[in-house]
Amino acid sequence: MSTVALEMPAEHYTEKIKELKDQKNAVILAHYYQRPEVQDLADFVGDSLELSRKAQETNADIIAFCGVRFMCETAKILNPTKRVLHPNPESGCPMADMATVQGVLELKQKYPEAAIVSYVNTSAEVKAISDVCVTSANAVKIVSKLPHKQIIFVPDMGLGNWVKKNIPDKEIIIWRGFCPPHYEFGLSDLKALREMHKNAVVAAHPECNPKVLEHADFVGSTSQIINFATTTDAKNIIVITEVGLKHVLYKKNPNKNYIFPEAMNYCGSAVYCCTMKGVTLANLYTTLKDEVNEVILPLDIIQKAKKPIEYMLELSK
Ligand code: SF4
């Protein structure tokens, strides 16, 4: 006999989570790719850079971080005395898992003069051996500010290629990692969407395939896409990034038409990150109630990984 799990209505969790948050002096941070109901409950919704800053500024005792593992680790690195809870510890980032400490150190041996520049989408251990971190919002700015002529860029080849294109006078040695949802969306997929929406402009995230970026009208991080898409004169905007961003776009400017590559609206690849959707109201509630799923990192890793993150925050001002 099969059993059917009874789902509590969203309001049930929403009220209880709000109560717990107040009782425990907790703050809820959520990435733009999170489920809409999680975004609506969060104290702050943002991209990786904004969330890093918020994590650093908060006076809360507990940070409930609705995102993937590397984001929670970053919050812990910036707040070693606070408790950072990850509602779904299974939610990692496949791209972050593609970079290994050993592989990066081997590259450094081959290019001893190069700076190791790590996208924030890396493990705490990889950050700990890096010179500076970057996000998709500031990668070009930070790499151009570094005195090094050679850069080892880890782990995203989409963003790495974008940096290389924008800073042609530096040698960028790019790790061959990628974000599956963004990178697997191909040029033929984009052409199919353009064909369906002939008057639309295209905004794409730099984690996308370089061929897609070549055909985009605007390339930027999630925050930069929000700014572009909600303020452009164009009424129809094709947005090539994770579909979670749709929620905030309609909240900020509901008078436009945001077209995302979703499985149901055309026959190509959807840009959907399963691990980002691993945080739910149910596991956020349980995590806060029982104060479980705490992010624990060795002290030496925290101390070493903090330097490249703080250097990024300083250079991105
Ligand atoms: S969208 Fe891509 S980079 Fe972001 S968590 Fe998912 S797999 Fe990782």
Side-chain angles (χ1 to χ4, degrees), residues 33 68 70 92-96 121 179-182 207 242 273 275-276:
Y33 296 163
V68 290
F70 75 81
C93 165
M95 176 166 73
N121 304 34
C179 163
H182 282 94
E207 284 172 15
E242 215 279 344
C273 180
T275 56
M276 274 286 184

Side-chain angles (χ1 to χ4, degrees), residues 262-290:
E262 291 177 83
M264 297 303 290
N265 66 7
Y266 85 123
C267 57
S269 308
V271 184
Y272 180 88
C273 180
C274 303
T275 56
M276 274 286 184
K277 302 295 187 278
V279 174
T280 62
L281 290 183
N283 57 30
L284 174 58
Y285 166 65
T286 314
T287 296
L288 269 177
K289 177 171 71 69
D290 300 334

Side-chain angles (χ1 to χ4, degrees), residues 58-300:
T58 182
N59 290 320
D61 297 316
I62 293 177
I63 301 171
F65 206 115
C66 304
V68 290
R69 190 177 307 119
F70 75 81
M71 296 177 174
C72 303
E73 288 181 349
T74 304
K76 179 66 185 176
I77 291 163
L78 291 172
N79 296 275
T81 59
K82 295 201 169 110
R83 301 183 72 201
V84 178
L85 308 181
H86 187 191
N88 185 347
E90 301 299 313
S91 285
C93 165
M95 176 166 73
D97 293 343
M98 291 175 195
T100 63
V101 169
Q102 193 190 337
V104 176
L105 290 177
E106 281 168 13
L107 264 184
K108 178 69 179 175
Q109 261 190 342
K110 204 170 161 193
Y111 301 97
E113 302 299 318
I116 301 175
V117 175
S118 291
Y119 192 16
V120 283
N121 304 34
T122 44
S123 67
E125 289 78 10
V126 168
K127 287 185 179 78
I129 56 161
S130 302
D131 293 297
V132 67
C133 288
V134 296
T135 69
S136 52
N138 63 27
V140 172
K141 181 176 177 179
I142 286 179
V143 172
S144 62
K145 280 188 175 180
L146 290 176
H148 307 72
K149 286 282 171 211
Q150 266 185 340
I151 305 291
I152 295 170
F153 193 91
V154 184
D156 182 26
M157 57 183 176
L159 183 59
N161 277 308
W162 180 246
V163 170
K164 190 173 185 158
K165 189 176 171 184
N166 281 279
I167 313 175
D169 57 322
K170 296 204 183 199
E171 184 186 359
I172 317 283
I173 300 125
I174 302 171
W175 188 272
R176 307 297 293 168
F178 62 96
C179 163
H182 282 94
Y183 210 81
E184 285 166 9
F185 179 87
L187 185 54
S188 57
D189 298 319
L190 179 57
K191 285 183 174 166
L193 267 184
R194 274 221 196 255
E195 192 57 32
M196 289 169 68
H197 305 276
K198 289 200 165 64
N199 297 325
V201 295
V202 175
H205 192 279
E207 284 172 15
C208 290
N209 195 301
K211 287 183 184 148
V212 168
L213 297 184
E214 267 173 38
H215 288 80
D217 301 295
F218 177 81
V219 176
S221 68
T222 45
S223 296
Q224 291 161 345
I225 289 175
I226 291 168
N227 189 37
F228 170 80
T230 54
T231 57
T232 174
D233 291 339
K235 178 95 176 85
N236 300 309
I237 304 105
I238 295 172
V239 185
I240 314 299
T241 193
E242 215 279 344
V243 67
L245 199 70
K246 191 191 238 188
H247 187 60
V248 72
L249 289 177
Y250 276 109
K251 269 180 141 177
K252 284 197 182 274
N253 189 343
N255 301 316
K256 294 189 177 238
N257 185 25
Y258 308 106
I259 304 135
F260 279 72
E262 291 177 83
M264 297 303 290
N265 66 7
Y266 85 123
C267 57
S269 308
V271 184
Y272 180 88
C273 180
C274 303
T275 56
M276 274 286 184
K277 302 295 187 278
V279 174
T280 62
L281 290 183
N283 57 30
L284 174 58
Y285 166 65
T286 314
T287 296
L288 269 177
K289 177 171 71 69
D290 300 334
E291 296 185 30
V292 289
N293 301 328
E294 184 170 355
V295 178
I296 306 283
L297 290 171
L299 190 58
D300 65 319

